[in-house]
């Protein structure tokens, strides 16, 4: 019994590099987003720049670089959390795809979820609004 468990464990360990590679291959693909624009309500405190778009398990991500100019409390926020909202225009109507929170205690690379299905953003212009998070 123990011998079989050791063999199974060894087989699983041998598969780890392939699992890791498959994960990165899935992340490397990207949805065909036409363009991403940022409506940055916190621009006096925060600069945001998209570096690339990626898709992992059908979730479309905007990988961004955040640069803090000053604490977002100086821009009227009550905490170091900001909200972001992704949306697209469909037949003249703005439709919200995702909304989430992002911590802005420090700058650096941040991934924002744009959509949970690539078809929602394929060949579409996506707008991402960054604003103060509401009080909790």
């Amino acid at each position: 019994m123990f011998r079989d468990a050791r063999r199974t464990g060894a087989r699983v360990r041998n598969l780890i590099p392939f699992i890791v590679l498959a994960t990165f291959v899935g992340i490397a693909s990207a949805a065909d987003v036409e363009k991403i624009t940022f409506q940055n309500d916190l621009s006096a405190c925060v600069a945001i720049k998209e570096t690339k778009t990626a898709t992992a398990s059908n979730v479309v991500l905007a990988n961004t670089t955040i640069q803090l100019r000053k604490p977002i409390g100086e821009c009227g926020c009550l905490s170091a959390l900001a909200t972001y909202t992704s949306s697209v225009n469909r037949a003249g109507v703005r439709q919200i795809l995702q909304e989430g929170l992002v911590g802005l205690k420090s700058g650096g690379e941040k991934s924002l979820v744009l959509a949970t299905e690539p078809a929602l953003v394929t060949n579409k212009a996506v707008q991402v609004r960054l604003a103060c998070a509401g009080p909790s």
Side-chain angles (χ1 to χ4, degrees):
M1 180 169 137
F2 292 112
R3 185 177 299 155
D4 289 338
R6 282 190 296 236
R7 283 187 205 151
T8 301
R11 287 184 197 136
V12 170
R13 280 191 300 278
N14 290 339
L15 288 175
I16 290 174
F18 296 106
I19 294 168
V20 170
L21 178 62
T23 301
F24 282 115
V25 167
I27 291 173
S29 65
D32 294 324
V33 175
E34 182 180 298
K35 177 176 133 179
I36 297 177
T37 56
F38 290 95
Q39 178 186 338
N40 186 356
D41 296 356
L42 305 175
S43 61
C45 294
V46 177
I48 184 168
K49 182 177 90 174
E50 177 214 358
T51 56
K52 66 181 178 173
T53 305
T55 303
S57 300
N58 283 333
V59 174
V60 181
L61 304 168
N63 295 313
T64 64
T65 301
I66 303 274
Q67 179 184 9
L68 296 181
R69 295 180 174 133
K70 53 187 173 180
I72 65 172
E74 293 183 34
C75 286
C77 296
L78 300 177
S79 73
L81 293 176
T83 186
Y84 70 90
T85 306
S86 66
S87 61
V88 294
N89 190 343
R90 291 192 191 279
V93 177
R94 178 97 1 227
Q95 292 185 326
I96 294 174
L97 299 171
Q98 290 290 309
E99 187 171 276
L101 290 174
V102 61
L104 295 179
K105 282 186 179 180
S106 63
E109 295 179 6
K110 309 276 184 182
S111 293
L112 309 179
V113 175
L114 297 179
T116 56
E117 186 176 324
L120 297 173
V121 295
T122 299
N123 299 322
K124 300 258 187 287
V126 178
Q127 183 180 50
V128 178
R129 179 174 182 230
L130 185 68
C132 292
S136 48

